Amino acid sequence: MRHVVGFLSGLILGPVLLLLSGWAFSHLRRLHGSGLGALDGAGPLAVAGLLGVGLVVALLAVPPRLTPMLPLGASLVLGGVSAVSVLRGHWLERLPSLPGSEGALVLLPLGVFVPLVVVLFATVFVGGRWRREPEGVTEEEYFEGLYDDDGPGRGPVASAHSGAHGGASARPAPRHRA
């Protein structure tokens, strides 16, 4: 189920990455055209948008416990739109005008998103991302090592009682993970 939800989330994140990159590009291009730098006017906001794109890509590509279907969905959207922009560019002109679509339509035929597609698609080949690791301690691991081999009544509870009555005070440490 987590793979299905991840794939559908990736299909949503793909256009978000595309539009956010296009929005930041159009703002930075407008600033450059007027002779201003990236730290003037709305430049810091556009740079923050690019930082957001980088953060989302890092969160999609890096965590090993994340389903690989999430970055796969995003890479399929970005790769598909990039291919359509090169092969049938007039199809993208029919899309509704959204904030960032103007800049994205400039970036798409240039192949700017191809490295991003490769990075996100490569996560499919990481084998550990397909399996879910059991979280926490299993019942067997919890009870493992609680009692010594000396028999019942000689475990940590018995040792604690004998330590209070003048017996051995050293308690064996449990061997399970915390």
Side-chain angles (χ1 to χ4, degrees), residues 74-87:
S75 71
L76 288 177
V77 168
L78 291 173
V81 173
S82 295
V84 166
S85 72
V86 170
L87 300 175

Side-chain angles (χ1 to χ4, degrees), residues 65-141:
R65 299 181 80 181
L66 188 67
T67 176
M69 295 302 282
L70 182 65
L72 176 67
S75 71
L76 288 177
V77 168
L78 291 173
V81 173
S82 295
V84 166
S85 72
V86 170
L87 300 175
R88 305 275 187 215
H90 61 278
W91 286 0
L92 294 178
E93 294 171 0
R94 296 179 186 172
L95 293 175
S97 179
L98 296 170
S101 62
E102 175 188 325
L105 290 175
V106 172
L107 292 175
L108 279 169
L110 298 175
V112 172
F113 295 102
V114 172
L116 184 62
V117 169
V118 171
V119 167
L120 293 176
F121 188 75
T123 60
V124 173
F125 300 108
V126 178
R129 294 183 87 164
W130 288 101
R131 295 182 302 275
R132 175 179 277 179
E133 299 281 331
E135 294 183 16
V137 179
T138 64
E139 189 175 335
E140 272 183 29
E141 291 173 338

Side-chain angles (χ1 to χ4, degrees), residues 2-65:
R2 71 184 185 111
H3 296 305
V4 173
V5 172
F7 185 73
L8 294 176
S9 300
L11 292 179
I12 293 170
L13 277 176
V16 169
L17 289 172
L18 181 73
L19 292 174
L20 188 56
S21 299
W23 177 83
F25 173 73
S26 64
H27 275 9
L28 290 174
R29 184 175 60 172
R30 202 171 301 126
L31 284 173
H32 181 70
S34 63
L36 298 174
L39 299 178
D40 298 327
L45 188 61
V47 171
L50 287 177
L51 286 173
V53 167
L55 181 65
V56 169
V57 169
L59 289 175
L60 288 175
V62 173
R65 299 181 80 181

